[in-house]
Amino acid sequence: MAARPNVVVILIDDLRFDETGASGHPYLKTPHIDRLAREGARFVNAFHTTPLCSPNRACILTGQYASRHGIIDNVGRDAMSHRLANYHLDLQRLGYETAHIGKWHMGNDPGPRPGYDHWVSFRGQGRIVDPVLWEDGAERAVPGYVTDLLSDRAVAYVRRKRQRPFALFLAHKAVHPDVQQRQDGSIDVASMQGYLVPQRHRDLYRDQRYPMRPSVRPAAEALRHKPALKEAFELRARAASRAMLQALHTGTQEEVRLRAAMMASVDEGVGRLLEALEETRQLDRTCVVFLGDNGFFFGEHGLGAERRFPYEEGIRTAFFVRYPGRVAAGSAPAEMVLAIDIAPTLVELAGGRPGPQVQGKSFMPLLRGRARGWRRSFLVEYSSESAFEWLVGMGYKAVRTPRHKLVHWLHKEGMNELYDLERDPYEMTNLIADPRYATTRRKLARELRALVAASAGV
């Protein structure tokens, strides 16, 4: 086995933690993605530190919390995104050939960013059908379905003959609906076309039903323990929000089905990519990482496209790593790993040492069965932004441990939330005022203060 592996990261947009076969979806079939979990590690407690597209993509690439790297929302922070200290810069210095193929969305301009020898991308959210791609130094319209087009380019890239190891970051637009986002982060409702499925998958999973989780309850019941969300829902009921809500169509069985049908194209592309690596005798010397960029709600706590919130459906991710010889087939580490752990792990595998600015931890010790000294808590953070009018003022800092979660709303007095995840895994009962949890609340508050300071590099 080569001392330094090739690296492929496959990032899916808006993927819920359970939207693969291997992570528990009741009817979605993803045999090629499941192969990654079966022949590698399936991290059963993997999380995002900011469950939102732009910030979390920057978290993955930098190994930093959003408080540190500065991409705090979906506003078009073009200049900042050209200056990210992302791990591909480290891999280039270590002799790797690097490539980004797909959605960037940290800044809306489509042009190449530092750290990449090969670049294929598109403006902002891009389009699902007949996208305009930046490749070979210019933008051009390309006919076809965007998932297939990106998979085509990824397969062609790994088939190239080269003398150096490569690192490919393949960022799909699926399973995000077709919508355009303005430079200020707001959504252009007129552009919304929803979940678009290729003709070959149009009727896939027809009449299948997803069993909703217990936290999918009537809004009045769900919000009784969540006063901050209750305030947001009162704003959501205004006439000004109606057009946006009607365009979203979230929390329905048809939405779940269409997302599953979109994943079929992703899985086909993963299969083709693995086949190309196998045929070129590179598969077993390639570390393949698969995850989503944030979670999603299917009506839990009354939420849908408001994926930003710190409840489990928003922050958990499917997370698989295949690398024979270093990752035991069928392993399922239970320790809490984060998206910010990817950068330091890959730099370590490439023979380097993560810089002092990196806040994640290499998870390679976990794969060797060495969990001693691993994290017992992590920070989840979100800054208020303008995608949805009712989310203004909903910024928070939260701490999660293996058992508990404390949510501190930054702009809401007296509305914090505390959950005992062992007794209440669906986060339905807020214990913030329960005297039996007073000591736990104080300990979590101290831990949250320390994590917030550390996230900013203080």
Side-chain angles (χ1 to χ4, degrees):
M1 177 177 296
R4 299 192 303 161
N6 300 319
V7 170
V8 175
V9 174
I10 304 170
L11 184 67
I12 313 303
D13 200 341
D14 281 2
L15 184 76
R16 257 176 77 110
F17 72 96
D18 60 355
E19 284 186 295
T20 71
S23 56
H25 197 285
Y27 60 78
L28 169 60
K29 293 178 174 60
T30 51
H32 303 296
I33 294 169
D34 296 352
R35 178 185 175 186
L36 299 175
R38 186 177 64 254
E39 297 180 358
R42 178 175 64 90
F43 287 89
V44 297
N45 284 300
F47 300 92
H48 307 294
T49 54
T50 297
L52 182 62
C53 293
S54 298
N56 202 45
R57 286 165 185 266
C59 292
I60 293 166
L61 290 171
T62 63
Q64 298 175 337
Y65 281 103
S67 295
R68 182 77 177 267
H69 62 60
I71 307 290
I72 60 171
D73 51 30
N74 280 357
V75 170
R77 300 181 185 278
D78 299 67
M80 179 67 81
S81 80
H82 279 269
R83 298 168 190 167
L84 288 176
N86 79 74
Y87 73 81
H88 293 95
L89 291 162
D90 292 318
L91 296 189
Q92 280 184 328
R93 286 189 284 268
L94 292 166
Y96 273 67
E97 180 187 323
T98 61
H100 175 92
I101 297 176
K103 183 175 177 180
W104 178 257
H105 198 219
M106 293 161 278
N108 290 323
D109 74 271
R113 298 319 198 260
Y116 301 95
D117 302 304
H118 180 74
W119 180 270
V120 179
S121 191
F122 41 75
R123 293 182 182 273
Q125 296 280 4
R127 293 206 302 256
I128 294 177
V129 178
D130 300 339
V132 176
L133 299 182
W134 176 293
E135 59 182 338
D136 300 325
E139 285 183 289
R140 64 185 181 94
V142 182
Y145 189 67
V146 71
T147 304
D148 299 336
L149 296 172
L150 297 178
S151 294
D152 289 344
R153 283 148 179 79
V155 167
Y157 181 77
V158 303
R159 285 189 179 277
R160 289 183 183 180
K161 292 185 178 180
R162 52 175 60 85
Q163 299 300 314
R164 298 185 288 158
F166 69 82
L168 167 63
F169 196 90
L170 172 58
H172 278 294
K173 178 172 172 60
V175 291
H176 199 289
D178 209 348
V179 62
Q180 301 308 309
Q181 200 156 20
R182 302 184 183 95
Q183 193 70 2
D184 66 357
S186 62
I187 291 173
D188 179 7
V189 177
S191 73
M192 297 186 79
Q193 298 187 61
Y195 298 101
L196 301 181
V197 179
Q199 184 64 42
R200 66 186 186 275
H201 298 144
R202 198 66 56 86
D203 294 321
L204 196 60
Y205 309 125
R206 182 72 68 189
D207 300 325
Q208 293 279 3
R209 294 193 62 80
Y210 178 93
M212 293 299 181
R213 287 157 68 84
S215 49
V216 179
R217 301 181 290 169
E221 187 181 341
L223 300 176
R224 189 162 56 89
H225 285 268
K226 295 175 172 60
L229 271 191
K230 185 172 183 292
E231 272 197 5
F233 274 58
E234 289 167 357
L235 288 174
R236 196 167 80 165
R238 292 180 178 180
S241 303
R242 196 167 298 140
M244 177 72 74
L245 288 167
Q246 289 173 344
L248 290 173
H249 298 297
T250 57
T252 65
Q253 289 291 339
E254 182 65 358
E255 179 191 40
V256 179
R257 185 192 75 82
L258 288 171
R259 290 168 61 92
M262 288 181 76
M263 277 300 292
S265 302
V266 173
D267 189 68
E268 289 168 353
V270 171
R272 290 172 53 214
L273 187 60
L274 295 178
E275 182 181 45
L277 288 167
E278 205 154 22
E279 289 178 352
T280 54
R281 300 183 180 179
Q282 300 180 94
L283 180 58
D284 286 353
R285 54 186 177 90
T286 299
C287 177
V288 182
V289 179
F290 175 93
L291 76 160
D293 73 336
N294 50 248
F296 204 83
F297 295 95
F298 287 163
E300 295 89 355
H301 320 295
L303 297 167
E306 303 100 334
R307 58 189 67 78
R308 300 144 172 84
F309 291 112
Y311 309 114
E312 294 294 279
E313 297 84 4
I315 66 173
R316 299 185 79 96
T317 182
F319 191 72
F320 311 141
V321 180
R322 183 192 188 277
Y323 182 30
R326 300 290 295 273
V327 179
S331 55
E335 291 78 17
M336 298 186 298
V337 297
L338 309 177
I340 62 174
D341 296 335
I342 292 172
T345 302
L346 297 184
V347 170
E348 178 187 317
L349 280 176
R353 179 176 295 180
Q357 82 282 0
V358 173
Q359 297 171 305
K361 300 172 65 173
S362 169
F363 51 72
M364 290 310 297
L366 302 181
L367 299 173
R368 295 191 290 267
R370 299 174 186 169
R372 191 171 184 176
W374 193 253
R375 68 170 60 86
R376 299 293 296 169
S377 68
F378 66 92
L379 174 70
V380 188
E381 57 180 352
Y382 167 67
S383 297
S384 172
E385 34 96 46
S386 58
F388 304 129
E389 188 254 357
W390 57 91
L391 296 185
V392 173
M394 293 298 290
Y396 63 79
K397 304 280 186 179
V399 55
R400 192 198 188 281
T401 71
R403 178 166 176 172
H404 297 103
K405 184 185 295 178
L406 174 68
V407 183
H408 171 65
W409 298 97
L410 297 175
H411 312 293
K412 311 286 184 184
E413 291 298 327
M415 296 188 184
N416 289 351
E417 298 168 32
L418 171 64
Y419 299 101
D420 185 334
L421 299 172
E422 186 176 287
R423 297 181 176 180
D424 178 25
Y426 300 105
E427 300 165 289
M428 296 163 67
T429 303
N430 182 4
L431 301 169
I432 196 69
D434 190 325
R436 293 170 296 179
Y437 283 82
T439 299
T440 298
R441 185 176 65 247
R442 287 192 293 270
K443 287 181 179 178
L444 290 170
R446 285 196 298 270
E447 184 67 12
L448 180 58
R449 283 193 291 271
L451 287 168
V452 169
S455 72
V458 177

